[in-house]
Amino acid sequence: MSLPVLSALVAVANPSPSPSTSTGPLTVTPTLQDAQESATHAASWVEENWSTWLAIGLRVLLILVIAAALRVFVRRSITKLIDRMSRTAEAVDGTTLGGLLVNAERRRQRSQAIGSVLRSVASFLIMGTAALMILGTFQINLAPLLASAGVAGVAIGFGARNLVTDFLSGVFMILEDQYGVGDVIDAGVASGEVIEVGLRVTKLRGDNGEIWYVRNGEVKRIGNLSQGWATAGVDVTVRSSEDLDHVRSVIDDVAEAISKEEPWNERLWGPVEILGLDSVLLDSMVVRVSAKTMPGKASSVERELRWRIKRAFDAADIRIMGGPTAPVEEEPVDPSAAVAAPSVLGNPASPQSEATAPIPSPASSGSSGVPK
């Protein structure tokens, strides 16, 4: 067989690839039957799981609705409670009971602060519980999440224990109404007028205008000088020879006059009383005068009482001593009393001076009488 014939047979046995054939994987064109089978499988899968999805969705929706309704109910209840507290404060304001209690504005501020804290805590608890229940509905294991949150809470608690202490102290200070804005307090570490009360820090305005930032956790004891009522006490020191009945009469006139004048009649919550003799000394005696006043106004009432008592005593010719140990006045001493009388010995020609002259010795007199 010739060579051209063999080449022709080989070419027929191994045909060359067509230009449209690629060396890569063959692309299969989906047919209508494949699409129909996929849709059938998806429909069957949806048909098998739609009830589960619907149950999960309804459960999540129910949790959200209940949480939202409970949150609205709790917040409205807290708001009504705060409004009732404010109305109670307004009802007693202006009466004797209201004067002994805290003023209405301060009670309103305290009520608003308590309401804000309670509403925030209620919202956090309700929505946090709802979020955990929703995660549980999706069959998410909450044990690792809660364990991690517990460990993180313990770490944060140890690291920020001062912050937690300050926060808890501030909450209890507000709930117990220990002090409020406008009160004058003595917190131990600082004292002054409260200008801001926070959950962590309290701001005080000192006597010289400085501002003190006091952490609530550092306050161990608090002396509130603005709650209830205050006492104005004045000690009047007079001579022990004064007539006590006359002194009492003058002080009674001053007390009656100050109780009828503005604005002292509002600052005085009781009559000015003479408590009696506080001390009696040889040269002086102390008369104690006291009065119940509006909180924070004791110093001004004391100054006004001293002013009026001093003027009244001057008009009544009653002398006020400088203190309980006033010095006793002594009569003036004659300057010539300390000068000695003149001595006769001061004149050398006087007989007394000649009598005191030294006597000459015999040896000196004999030697002087023998001639040489």
Side-chain angles (χ1 to χ4, degrees):
M1 187 177 293
S2 62
L3 183 61
V5 175
L6 290 174
S7 300
L9 291 175
V10 171
V12 172
N14 298 319
S16 60
S18 59
S20 61
T21 304
S22 61
T23 58
L26 298 178
T27 304
V28 179
T29 304
T31 61
L32 181 61
Q33 184 177 1
D34 295 337
Q36 185 177 1
E37 290 179 358
S38 300
T40 303
H41 287 300
S44 61
W45 185 75
V46 170
E47 184 178 0
E48 291 175 359
N49 296 280
W50 73 271
S51 58
T52 304
W53 293 351
L54 182 60
I56 293 175
L58 291 177
R59 189 176 301 175
V60 171
L61 181 62
L62 182 62
I63 291 174
L64 291 177
V65 170
I66 293 176
L70 183 61
R71 179 174 177 269
V72 171
F73 174 75
V74 172
R75 289 176 66 90
R76 286 186 177 180
S77 301
I78 294 174
T79 303
K80 289 182 179 180
L81 177 62
I82 299 304
D83 293 341
R84 182 176 299 177
M85 293 173 60
S86 300
R87 288 196 299 269
T88 304
E90 294 176 359
V92 300
D93 187 32
T95 61
T96 305
L97 179 61
L100 295 177
L101 298 175
V102 191
N103 57 67
E105 180 63 23
R106 179 177 163 215
R107 288 178 64 91
R108 187 190 64 81
Q109 294 179 0
R110 172 175 171 264
S111 301
Q112 294 296 333
I114 294 175
S116 177
V117 173
L118 292 180
R119 283 190 291 266
S120 299
V121 172
S123 298
F124 176 77
L125 292 178
I126 293 174
M127 301 310 295
T129 305
L132 293 178
M133 293 178 66
I134 290 174
L135 293 177
T137 302
F138 286 103
Q139 297 181 356
I140 298 176
N141 189 9
L142 299 179
L145 179 62
L146 295 178
S148 302
V151 174
V154 172
I156 293 175
F158 277 107
R161 56 184 180 273
N162 292 332
L163 181 62
V164 175
T165 302
D166 297 340
F167 180 81
L168 294 178
S169 300
V171 170
F172 282 106
M173 286 177 181
I174 294 176
L175 291 178
E176 297 174 0
D177 192 21
Q178 298 180 6
Y179 55 83
V181 176
D183 289 351
V184 178
I185 66 172
D186 181 5
V189 293
S191 60
E193 181 182 356
V194 180
I195 60 177
E196 184 178 343
V197 179
L199 295 177
R200 193 183 70 88
V201 176
T202 298
K203 293 183 181 180
L204 301 178
R205 174 78 68 178
D207 296 334
N208 298 325
E210 68 276 10
I211 296 180
W212 298 96
Y213 294 85
V214 181
R215 288 172 42 198
N216 295 330
E218 294 182 350
V219 179
K220 304 302 180 183
R221 54 96 176 165
I222 297 175
N224 195 325
L225 307 179
S226 300
Q227 284 186 355
W229 45 268
T231 301
V234 176
D235 291 334
V236 183
T237 306
V238 297
R239 293 181 299 185
S240 58
S241 59
E242 295 290 345
D243 186 5
L244 289 178
D245 294 333
H246 185 41
V247 172
R248 178 185 292 273
S249 175
V250 174
I251 296 178
D252 288 338
D253 295 339
V254 172
E256 184 179 359
I258 194 175
S259 62
K260 295 180 180 179
E261 296 181 6
E262 294 284 347
W264 310 109
N265 55 353
E266 296 180 357
R267 299 181 183 181
L268 287 172
W269 285 6
V272 179
E273 300 179 354
I274 302 176
L275 302 181
L277 287 177
D278 191 66
S279 62
V280 179
L281 302 177
L282 294 176
D283 59 337
S284 64
M285 55 186 176
V286 179
V287 180
R288 181 75 174 178
V289 181
S290 176
K292 185 180 294 185
T293 67
M294 183 185 299
K297 302 299 181 181
S299 299
S300 61
V301 173
E302 289 176 356
R303 289 191 289 267
E304 185 66 18
L305 280 175
R306 294 190 186 98
W307 181 281
R308 292 173 179 260
I309 290 175
K310 177 62 171 66
R311 295 181 60 182
F313 278 11
D314 291 343
D317 196 19
I318 299 176
R319 185 174 180 182
I320 296 180
M321 303 296 289
T325 58
V328 180
E329 296 183 358
E330 298 180 356
E331 297 181 358
V333 180
D334 186 7
S336 61
V339 179
S343 176
V344 296
L345 299 178
N347 186 5
S350 63
Q352 290 81 357
S353 297
E354 294 179 355
T356 58
I359 301 175
S361 60
S364 59
S365 61
S367 61
S368 59
V370 176
K372 293 182 180 181

